[in-house]
Amino acid sequence: MSVSARPRPRALDEPAPPKVVAARHPWRWVGIVVVLVLSAQFVSGLVTNPGWDWATFSRFITADSILKAVLVTLELTLYGTVLGFALGIVLALMRLSRSRFLEAVSWTYVWAFRSIPLIVQLLFWFNISYLYEELRFGIPFGPTFFGFQTKDLISPMGAAVLGLALHQAAYAAEIVRSGVISVDHGQLEAAAALGIPRSRQLRRIVLPQAMRSILPNATNEVISLFKGTSVVSVVAIGELFYQVQVIYGRNARVVALLMVATAWYVALTTLLSIVQHYVEKRYAKGTTRGEDGWKWAR
């Protein structure tokens, strides 16, 4: 009698669970300490150094002349933004058109106005009456019916708005164009195959997707324009930086008055950034699941 038994497989030794070692970043902590020390020194200097002259700062931060200058700065930013982006949209559509002539005109405009410094453009429009004393309307190369003196037609404020808007339009055109071409062209072909009208394609398909690309860059341009309005001080417009220069030219409190302008610029650009955040979040809906577009808007 024989007994046969199948050999049992040897139990494999189970590997020991891996040991988790916490990641250490010693240089990161060194960097944090250095930044904290430098920040503390800067804040201490702001508080203890009498050169900052906080008494003068608190005296002028809400002075009537400063508030009026802030209002002029906001007006210049508003006019420059609205007119600049209105013209920029037209230039972007011209650049995207199938007409070679319109495309060339738009490209030339963008190339020229992006190449010339803003201060040169402002001085040119401010002195336009030296080149063209009268603006005439009539038959081209023929008789004129009526005309206007350019000196009376374009005031310093009008020259500043004109210069800012034309300069802004060149950048706005490229921002809008880049947003439109970022939309997948296949979606438009699919919409056209379904018989959706072109106007509805633009409103429902192109614009919502293009805005996600346009908004961050457009907001940066608005903030840049807001700070760039300080350039119009060369044509004696009473905006914020010009008014600050006038005041510290009288009392020699340069640092304190510059801090007044800085505080207003920081406060208003912060408000613009908050508005940008919520507008971006509005157009981010549908891009991610379950988080209301929050990831896209970060």
Side-chain angles (χ1 to χ4, degrees):
M1 181 177 180
S2 65
V3 177
S4 64
R6 301 178 64 181
R8 289 184 177 181
R10 297 179 60 185
L12 298 176
D13 295 335
E14 294 184 358
K19 185 179 179 181
V20 178
V21 179
R24 294 182 175 86
H25 303 283
W27 289 109
R28 180 186 300 174
W29 288 104
V30 171
I32 292 172
V33 170
V34 170
V35 171
L36 285 176
V37 170
L38 293 176
S39 301
Q41 285 184 320
F42 178 70
V43 173
S44 174
L46 286 177
V47 175
T48 59
N49 189 346
W52 290 104
D53 196 1
W54 293 113
T56 304
F57 173 85
S58 59
R59 178 185 169 196
F60 284 99
I61 186 67
T62 55
D64 289 341
S65 57
I66 295 294
L67 294 179
K68 290 177 181 175
V70 170
L71 184 61
V72 172
T73 300
L74 290 175
E75 287 179 354
L76 288 170
T77 306
L78 178 65
Y79 296 149
T81 301
V82 173
L83 297 176
F85 273 88
L87 180 57
I89 291 171
V90 175
L91 290 169
L93 294 177
M94 290 170 62
R95 185 84 183 273
L96 294 170
S97 72
R98 296 178 181 177
S99 168
R100 293 289 185 187
F101 176 74
L102 294 179
E103 183 184 0
V105 170
S106 176
W107 183 89
T108 305
Y109 180 95
V110 172
W111 166 76
F113 279 83
R114 286 200 307 185
S115 303
I116 302 172
L118 175 59
I119 190 170
V120 175
Q121 297 179 40
L122 289 171
L123 290 174
F124 175 80
W125 293 115
F126 186 67
N127 295 285
I128 192 67
S129 60
Y130 290 103
L131 287 174
Y132 303 100
E133 295 181 357
E134 188 177 6
L135 183 63
R136 300 173 182 173
F137 294 90
I139 299 174
F141 305 104
T144 58
F145 302 128
F146 58 92
F148 299 97
Q149 293 289 330
T150 53
K151 184 176 65 176
D152 302 327
L153 189 63
I154 302 179
S155 63
M157 186 68 174
V161 172
L162 190 60
L164 291 173
L166 294 178
H167 181 77
Q168 189 65 27
Y171 292 91
E174 289 301 282
I175 291 172
V176 174
R177 188 178 69 88
S178 65
V180 172
I181 63 178
S182 68
V183 179
D184 185 9
H185 192 71
Q187 298 184 29
L188 297 179
E189 292 176 348
L194 293 172
I196 298 176
R198 287 186 64 85
S199 60
R200 195 171 179 185
Q201 292 177 25
L202 182 65
R203 265 186 307 112
R204 296 292 186 181
I205 298 174
V206 176
L207 192 58
Q209 297 183 75
M211 288 297 286
R212 295 168 193 161
S213 174
I214 291 173
L215 275 174
N217 296 322
T219 309
N220 282 337
E221 278 304 312
V222 174
I223 291 174
S224 178
L225 178 64
F226 173 68
K227 294 182 294 182
T229 54
S230 59
V231 180
V232 305
S233 60
V234 297
V235 293
I237 300 295
E239 49 78 45
L240 179 57
F241 187 65
Y242 178 83
Q243 191 61 38
V244 162
Q245 290 182 88
V246 170
I247 296 174
Y248 74 60
R250 294 172 182 169
N251 61 12
R253 304 288 187 182
V254 179
V255 175
L257 270 301
L258 288 178
M259 287 300 293
V260 168
T262 302
W264 275 108
Y265 283 126
V266 170
L268 294 173
T269 53
T270 302
L271 287 177
L272 286 173
S273 299
I274 293 172
V275 173
Q276 173 195 5
H277 171 79
Y278 285 102
V279 174
E280 284 185 3
K281 192 176 175 182
R282 164 74 176 77
Y283 281 96
K285 289 181 179 179
T287 57
T288 57
R289 294 180 180 177
E291 295 194 22
D292 197 24
W294 180 257
K295 284 184 178 177
W296 183 84
R298 290 173 65 182

